[in-house]
Amino acid sequence: MSEETHIGARLREIRKRRGLSQRDLATASGVSVSLIRKLEQGDLHDTRMETAHQLAVALRVPTSSLLERDDEDIADGAPEQWRPLQQAVQIATVHTGEAPTVQGVHALLPEVRAAYFDNRLAELTGLLSPLLRDADALGDTTDARHVRSHLLHIAGSMLTQVHQYSAAETALSRALDDAPDRLRAAGIITTWSWLLVRQGKLTASRELATRWADDIEPRISRATPEELAAWGWLLVQVSSASLRDNRRGEADDTMRLARSVAVLMERELPRGTERLATWGPTTVRYKAAERHVILDQPDRVLRAAKGPGGLAVSTEYHRHRLDVAKAHTMMRQYGEAISVLSEVNVNAPEWLASQRYARDIMSDVVTKRRTLTPEMRTLADAVGLPM
């Protein structure tokens, strides 16, 4: 392996981004501290593939990322409140104490899901971080992989929400690897496609969602509600990425198809025991309204907001309310925008605080107003708008 002379620099960079000391990495990987030190200092210019693999496993990166010369984008370290979850996802740990059981980990899933759906992000981080370490220690039985995949999917979704994209990608990649079937895998791909959109990787998002939508397209006459929901969400993601990538025709076609799939449901399909999103006419109406923000049609967003639905119906409700607030600012209805943001702040304060979109909306309001009301100042603080 004499050609891999750069391994020390890459190893040091990734280790530091993970927040690990050389001794921490040695404990997690089983590679001696002295060897890690020699590699990072350049005293050794090669190492066995087996050693490189051990280090990569501990750092939750492909082995090739330590060996290839082309630098990959390693995201900045997570802010303190998200670091425990980031590390639980990205760093292999040695489990000590009483061995966890699949039944024990599974028993905590309802509590994790409740925190996730209620947008209690700090509580969710506190629950997920140790539970993921327990799940890692369960081994590779079918049941273990099943519960671990679900937890990693939740972690990937949350990390995407709080802009920890490198850790989110690791979580989703691992979730996909453990997914028990293609239907569950499709749900993970939907979240991954959303992550790619948030990273600005629109072509990659569209191609990923399109490939999976084509692959799992069901026979309509025999499709189950879960199959329709999985397919429909992938179609929505294709449309979302296409519209943002100026592929209007493809975006329109896939959204029309998604609407047809939602109509087949006749009602909103609840999120169930494992799916992370609702599916049905209300959810699709919210996602269609999002398009009108992009297309500079705020009146159509506000029209969509008058239909039935709400927090108890769709997991997309809060995101839709931000679109409504944005539409009000586009129409210079700043008081109405503040009222909508205040409502979201009451229902999901931690979620709102993590939304750059909310900060952008508040910035529009602050810029256009000569004076701010106490409510506006409170919201500006809530979303972290810089002074």
Side-chain angles (χ1 to χ4, degrees):
M1 276 182 54
S2 59
E3 70 275 18
E4 276 87 44
T5 58
H6 63 295
I7 185 174
R10 294 288 293 131
L11 178 63
R12 181 173 61 252
E13 178 185 10
I14 298 174
R15 174 183 62 76
K16 291 174 70 176
R17 292 298 183 98
R18 296 291 193 254
L20 294 174
S21 68
Q22 290 177 336
R23 189 167 297 280
D24 291 335
L25 179 57
T27 300
S29 66
V31 177
S32 70
V33 175
S34 62
L35 179 54
I36 292 171
R37 185 177 298 122
K38 288 176 181 178
L39 287 170
E40 291 192 357
Q41 292 177 347
D43 296 332
L44 287 177
H45 297 298
D46 58 9
T47 189
R48 293 182 301 158
M49 179 67 73
E50 178 184 347
T51 301
H53 176 69
Q54 286 177 262
L55 293 167
V57 168
L59 293 167
R60 301 288 196 206
V61 295
T63 306
S64 60
S65 70
L66 293 178
L67 305 179
E68 294 172 357
R69 291 186 180 277
D70 292 334
D71 290 339
E72 67 175 21
D73 181 25
I74 303 294
D76 290 337
E80 189 62 38
Q81 70 264 41
W82 313 130
R83 190 164 295 136
L85 182 56
Q86 178 206 40
Q87 292 180 339
V89 165
Q90 292 184 315
I91 301 169
T93 57
V94 177
H95 197 279
T96 59
E98 186 178 357
T101 65
V102 172
Q103 293 79 8
V105 171
H106 199 278
L108 288 170
L109 270 179
E111 192 173 349
V112 169
R113 286 172 59 86
Y116 175 80
F117 291 121
D118 289 344
N119 295 292
R120 303 193 303 270
L121 303 187
E123 180 181 342
L124 180 59
T125 297
L127 289 168
L128 263 181
S129 302
L131 198 57
L132 280 170
R133 294 189 177 93
D134 284 350
D136 279 345
L138 294 177
D140 284 325
T141 66
T142 299
D143 288 343
R145 290 169 66 90
H146 190 154
V147 71
R148 186 164 55 240
S149 178
H150 189 46
L151 289 168
L152 285 164
H153 188 189
I154 292 173
S157 177
M158 179 189 158
L159 289 163
T160 299
Q161 289 185 48
V162 298
H163 314 287
Q164 301 306 306
Y165 297 144
S166 178
E169 185 171 356
T170 301
L172 294 174
S173 176
R174 294 180 59 205
L176 187 64
D177 186 51
D178 278 339
D181 54 56
R182 292 193 64 77
L183 201 58
R184 306 292 167 73
I188 297 165
I189 291 296
T190 295
T191 303
W192 204 331
S193 178
W194 169 49
L195 166 62
L196 290 169
V197 166
R198 298 198 76 167
Q199 292 175 298
K201 300 176 181 180
L202 302 179
T203 298
S205 175
R206 175 177 52 82
E207 290 177 349
L208 178 67
T210 298
R211 185 168 64 251
W212 275 79
D214 290 345
D215 188 54
I216 73 161
E217 180 178 354
R219 292 185 62 175
I220 298 298
S221 61
R222 298 192 305 191
T224 66
E226 291 294 338
E227 289 171 337
L228 291 173
W231 185 44
W233 262 112
L234 287 167
L235 293 172
V236 165
Q237 289 304 121
V238 174
S239 181
S240 178
S242 298
L243 188 65
R244 287 169 170 80
D245 207 21
N246 298 318
R247 301 172 69 95
R248 178 71 182 275
E250 187 172 351
D252 290 348
D253 290 345
T254 47
M255 182 53 75
R256 269 194 298 271
L257 187 52
R259 281 197 183 101
S260 298
V261 176
V263 168
L264 289 172
M265 301 297 299
E266 297 182 349
R267 61 180 178 84
E268 199 74 12
L269 186 67
R271 49 187 178 248
T273 58
E274 295 193 1
R275 199 165 11 85
L276 298 188
T278 56
W279 174 258
T282 299
T283 292
V284 172
R285 177 164 55 83
Y286 290 164
K287 301 308 290 184
E290 178 183 302
R291 293 162 45 85
H292 297 308
V293 173
I294 299 168
L295 296 172
D296 195 22
Q297 299 169 335
D299 56 319
R300 299 189 66 176
V301 179
L302 299 181
R303 198 180 312 154
K306 295 178 181 178
L311 176 58
V313 176
S314 174
T315 49
E316 296 302 302
Y317 178 71
H318 292 316
R319 179 60 174 75
H320 171 63
R321 297 304 288 169
L322 292 190
D323 287 331
V324 172
K326 177 63 176 178
H328 280 304
T329 63
M330 293 166 74
M331 299 183 74
R332 302 183 180 180
Q333 299 169 348
Y334 303 117
E336 290 87 342
I338 292 300
S339 294
V340 174
L341 288 176
S342 295
E343 168 211 311
V344 178
N345 192 41
V346 168
N347 289 318
E350 290 184 74
W351 179 85
L352 186 69
S354 71
Q355 301 303 307
R356 291 177 184 173
Y357 190 20
R359 286 196 289 278
D360 291 343
I361 295 169
M362 274 306 304
S363 179
D364 288 344
V365 173
V366 169
T367 300
K368 299 293 171 41
R369 298 274 300 195
R370 288 186 178 181
T371 60
L372 300 182
T373 66
E375 185 180 23
M376 291 175 183
R377 290 194 294 271
T378 297
L379 278 172
D381 291 340
V383 301
L385 189 67
M387 298 291 286

